[in-house]
Amino acid sequence: MKILIIAEHNNQILKTSTLNAYTAAQQISDEIDILVIGNACQNSIEQAAKIAGIKKVLVAESAVYEHQLAENLAPLIADVGKSYDYIIAPDTTFGKNILPRVAALLDVAMIADVIKIIEPTIFVRPIYAGNALTTVQSNDAIKILTIRTTAFSAATFTENTVAPIIKIEKVYENNLSTFINEEIHVSTRPELSAAKIVISGGRGLKSAENFKLLEALADKLGAAIGASRAAVDAGFAANDCQVGQTGKVVAPELYIAIGISGAIQHLAGMKDSKTIVAINNDPDAPIFQIADYGLVADLFTSLTELQTELDK
Amino acid sequence: MKILVAVKRVIDFKTNIRVKADQTGVETASVKMSMNPFDEIAVEEAIRLKEKKSASEIIVVSIGATTCQETIRTALAMGADRGILIQTDEAVQPLAIAKILQEIVKRENPQLVILGKQAIDSDNNQAGQMLAGLLNWPQGTFISKIEVSDHSATVTREVDGGLETLELKLPAVVTTDLRLNEPRFISLPNIVQAKRKQIDVIPVQELGIDVQPRLTILKVTAPEKRTAGIKVNSVAELVDKLRNEARVLS
C-alpha cells in the first residue's frame, strides 16, 4: 500500500505536525512518500529527505505555491495522489483547509482528526468535541486522512540516509485567490501543540496585564502558554493560544490550568494531557474533576509561590 | 448578490451528550436541538452583509429530517429571506452534503456561500472545502472577518500561527470561525413574521445525487473517563508531587 504524506512547512522548516502524521502512516505501511509544496523551500525539502524511512520526496516548488493556497494545492495533490492508496496530512488548519478539497476532487470521503488506526481501513476519531469516539471503516479506493498530531509521537530524522528528491514539473496556477498578508505570532517559547509543558490561563487572571504573569513561569519551565476561550474572548490573550474544542488540542506531559473553571469546550482541548494541575480559588470548579493535582487557592499568591518553589 | 447559507440541526451545545448503550450513536430522543453555533454565525454574517447592502437575498438551506424546518425557521426569524429543506431521514456525510449544495448552487446562482467551519456533532470540518472544490470556486475557511466588493471578497482566516488575509474572486465559499460575529437575539415580532416566509421542501431523491455514505460507522463509544486526582494544600506540596510522584518536573 502506497502512502503520500503532505508536508506542512513554512518554506523554511518542516513542522513537527508532519512528523506526527508520518508516525501514523507507518502504522499502515512502509511505502511512504512525502510531497513538499512551496517556494524556495530547500531546507524543508532537505529535512523531509531525512525523515527516517521515507522512500521519496516529491517536490513542487514555484512562486505560485508560496502561500500554499487551497485553490491550486488541491488539484496538484489530487493529481499526484491518485496513484496512491492513502493521502495523509496533519489535522492542523493547513491540513483541514486543503485535504477536504482534495477528497472532493477525487470523489472520495475524508476521515478527519484520526486518533487511532485499528486496521488499514478502520479508524477512530472523536466526535462531539471528544465526548464520543466513532470507529469508521472506509471502502473508498483512496483513503484521505488528517491525523490528530497529539495522538501520534513525532518521527525522527536520520543522518544516515537521504531519500531521493523528485521534482514535479507541471505547475498549477491559481487565478481564484490571492494572498494579501499574514500576522503570524513569533514566540521564543515552544509551539503550543508540540510543547511538553503548557501553562494556560483563564478568566480568573482578570486582565491582559495579569495574564502576562504566566510568561515568567512559562520561561522558567520551558512551557508554551495557552488560554481558555473565556480569556481569549475577554481580550487577555491572543486567539492562537486558545486551547479547546474550537482552538487547539494539546496533550502535553504537564498541563497547568490557572484560573480556568473548566468549561466542557476547554476540557475537550486538554483532557488527554498526561498530568493535569489546576489552581483555582473556586473549590467547585469543574476543572478539579479531571485534574490530577488540584490546589484551591488565590492564583496570584500561588503564582508567586510557584516561582520561588521552582527555584529551590 | 444572493447569499446561500447552509445550516445544520444539532444537539444543543449546552447539552451533555450520552452515547447509546448499543454503540450505534448518540442519544437524540428528547434532547434539546439547536442550530449549529457556527451556522448561526454564518446566518448572522449574511444578514449583516444584507444590511450593508452588499447582499440582496439570503437563502437558507438545511439537509435532514422534517424537523430541520425549525432550524430554517430560526434563520428566517434572524432575518434570512427564504428557506430550502432537502429532506432525508438518513445521515448524510460531508461529500454528499457538498454534492447536494453544489446542486442548490446551480439552481440558485448565489455569489457567496457561507457555512459554519464545522458542525459540533460530527466535527468533520469538510463540507465547505468540498463544495468549493466541486464548484472550482475559491475558499476562505475559518474566517473571522469578511468584506465584500463587486467582484471579490477579502477574508481574514484564523490559522494555527495567527491570521491570514486573502482576496477571493466571487463567487466564493467561506466558512465561519467563532470570532466573526455575535449572532443577534431573535425578537418576537420577527418570529411571527418568519412564519410567513417560504420554505421549499425537496425530497433528496428528486435531486438525483448519490448520497450513499462512503464510510461505515462501526460503533460509537464513550471515551475513557478521567477521574479526579487529589487536592494538595500548598504550592510546596504541589511542586513536590510534580517532582517526586508524577516526575514531570526536574
Side-chain angles (χ1 to χ4, degrees):
Chain A
M1 279 179 294
K2 287 177 67 187
I3 302 177
L4 181 68
I5 300 272
I6 311 304
E8 179 172 13
H9 68 104
N10 60 3
N11 291 321
Q12 286 148 31
I13 55 157
L14 201 65
K15 299 271 178 81
T16 318
S17 57
T18 309
L19 303 173
N20 301 117
Y22 180 74
T23 300
Q26 283 180 307
Q27 295 184 6
I28 299 168
S29 162
D30 290 332
E31 295 285 307
I32 308 171
D33 295 346
I34 186 165
L35 172 59
V36 182
I37 311 168
N39 186 34
C41 53
Q42 190 53 35
N43 199 33
S44 306
I45 297 165
E46 282 168 16
Q47 283 185 308
K50 286 181 188 163
I51 298 175
I54 203 98
K55 292 284 184 285
K56 278 193 303 243
V57 181
L58 309 177
V59 173
E61 222 179 353
S62 159
V64 299
Y65 304 134
E66 168 94 35
H67 300 289
Q68 306 173 355
L69 302 181
E71 288 74 10
N72 55 342
L73 257 61
L76 162 64
I77 294 168
D79 268 0
V80 175
K82 67 186 176 210
S83 53
Y84 286 81
D85 303 296
Y86 292 81
I87 303 174
I88 298 179
D91 190 67
T92 54
T93 51
F94 167 78
K96 285 192 264 208
N97 185 42
I98 290 164
L99 277 210
R101 192 167 176 127
V102 174
L105 297 181
L106 292 171
D107 194 31
V108 296
M110 185 185 123
I111 303 142
D113 207 11
V114 171
I115 57 167
K116 200 170 172 186
I117 297 164
I118 294 186
E119 281 177 33
T121 60
I122 302 178
F123 312 95
V124 180
R125 57 179 302 269
I127 52 176
Y128 291 92
N131 290 304
L133 304 174
T134 180
T135 305
V136 297
Q137 179 156 32
S138 163
N139 302 310
D140 278 321
I142 302 174
K143 288 154 190 64
I144 299 193
L145 321 175
T146 57
I147 301 295
R148 177 173 288 204
T149 55
T150 54
F152 298 88
S153 60
T156 49
F157 294 111
T158 169
E159 293 298 328
N160 301 335
T161 51
V162 174
I165 293 165
I166 296 155
K167 295 251 180 214
I168 296 166
E169 299 299 339
K170 187 175 172 192
V171 172
Y172 294 73
E173 300 290 338
N174 176 6
N175 52 20
L176 297 172
S177 63
T178 318
F179 172 87
I180 306 289
N181 62 43
E182 63 187 353
E183 290 170 45
I184 299 296
H185 287 103
V186 189
S187 169
T188 50
R189 297 194 188 90
E191 197 194 328
L192 184 54
S193 40
K196 288 205 162 45
I197 304 179
V198 173
I199 300 175
S200 281
R203 196 157 33 193
L205 281 158
K206 293 198 177 79
S207 72
E209 216 163 61
N210 289 341
F211 200 89
K212 290 206 170 69
L213 295 172
L214 300 183
E215 290 176 5
L217 192 59
D219 289 338
K220 186 167 295 230
L221 293 169
I225 291 185
S228 69
R229 185 179 153 192
V232 171
D233 285 350
F236 302 171
N239 171 46
D240 54 290
C241 60
Q242 182 185 322
V243 171
Q245 180 187 358
T246 54
K248 293 201 175 71
V249 175
V250 302
E253 298 280 308
L254 174 60
Y255 188 89
I256 306 177
I258 295 177
I260 292 179
S261 64
I264 297 178
Q265 91 90 26
H266 183 76
L267 303 186
M270 46 65 78
K271 67 180 167 49
D272 294 327
S273 306
K274 213 168 146 208
T275 301
I276 298 175
V277 169
I279 303 178
N280 202 304
N281 58 8
D282 173 11
D284 298 323
I287 189 90
F288 287 125
Q289 287 163 22
I290 64 152
D292 298 288
Y293 301 106
L295 175 62
V296 181
D298 175 75
L299 56 96
F300 296 105
T301 329
S302 303
L303 276 173
T304 323
E305 286 173 16
L306 260 174
Q307 291 277 2
T308 358
E309 204 60 42
L310 287 168
D311 282 335
K312 282 187 189 166
Chain B
M1 177 179 92
K2 272 195 207 176
I3 298 179
L4 182 72
V5 183
V7 298
K8 185 177 184 183
R9 182 179 163 87
V10 297
I11 294 180
D12 188 86
F13 76 100
K14 289 191 215 88
T15 307
N16 285 325
I17 62 122
R18 231 179 52 241
V19 172
K20 287 183 188 168
D22 64 1
Q23 303 194 331
T24 56
V26 162
E27 193 58 69
T28 52
S30 63
V31 168
K32 188 184 175 200
M33 305 294 282
S34 299
M35 192 190 300
N36 177 40
F38 291 103
D39 301 348
E40 215 179 333
I41 294 171
V43 173
E44 174 66 33
E45 199 60 25
I47 296 167
R48 291 187 189 189
L49 287 169
K50 193 180 171 193
E51 286 167 349
K52 280 192 248 172
K53 314 270 184 236
S54 294
S56 51
E57 189 187 21
I58 301 163
I59 306 151
V60 172
V61 58
S62 191
I63 300 165
T66 318
T67 43
C68 293
Q69 288 196 55
E70 286 172 32
T71 316
I72 296 175
R73 213 50 91 182
T74 306
L76 297 178
M78 285 173 74
D81 295 297
R82 62 186 167 92
I84 301 171
L85 171 64
I86 305 301
Q87 198 186 337
T88 171
D89 289 329
E90 307 297 325
V92 187
Q93 294 180 353
L95 184 62
I97 300 268
K99 288 180 181 180
I100 292 170
L101 293 177
Q102 182 187 20
E103 176 62 27
I104 307 296
V105 166
K106 234 185 263 169
R107 295 179 182 196
E108 297 287 348
N109 272 313
Q111 286 294 291
L112 186 65
V113 182
I114 313 181
L115 303 89
K117 74 167 179 180
Q118 69 191 68
I120 60 164
D121 50 2
S122 50
D123 283 337
N124 276 305
N125 198 327
Q126 297 176 11
Q129 297 89 313
M130 285 179 160
L131 175 64
L134 293 174
L135 292 165
N136 194 30
W137 285 9
Q139 69 184 51
T141 49
F142 335 134
I143 63 165
S144 57
K145 198 175 167 198
I146 181 167
E147 272 166 26
V148 176
S149 61
D150 283 349
H151 303 289
S152 69
T154 306
V155 297
T156 300
R157 306 180 53 229
E158 298 202 346
V159 294
D160 283 334
L163 300 170
E164 178 187 69
T165 302
L166 303 178
E167 189 176 285
L168 312 176
K169 255 192 207 169
L170 294 178
V173 176
V174 298
T175 73
T176 62
D177 217 318
L178 276 183
R179 268 157 288 272
L180 182 60
N181 62 50
E182 258 184 61
R184 66 196 59 196
F185 289 104
I186 302 168
S187 68
L188 192 60
N190 285 346
I191 294 174
V192 176
Q193 212 190 358
K195 291 198 172 129
R196 291 197 296 270
K197 291 182 180 173
Q198 178 193 342
I199 298 179
D200 293 323
V201 180
I202 306 172
V204 73
Q205 303 85 322
E206 278 184 22
L207 300 180
I209 293 168
D210 171 20
V211 293
Q212 284 307 306
R214 299 294 187 85
L215 303 176
T216 314
I217 295 170
L218 300 180
K219 62 178 180 181
V220 174
T221 52
E224 260 179 59
K225 250 202 152 143
R226 200 171 175 127
T227 46
I230 56 157
K231 290 261 169 69
V232 292
N233 295 311
S234 67
V235 168
E237 187 188 349
L238 174 65
V239 172
D240 176 62
K241 294 274 187 204
L242 292 178
R243 278 184 176 143
N244 303 316
E245 191 176 270
R247 295 180 188 282
V248 286
L249 286 185
S250 49

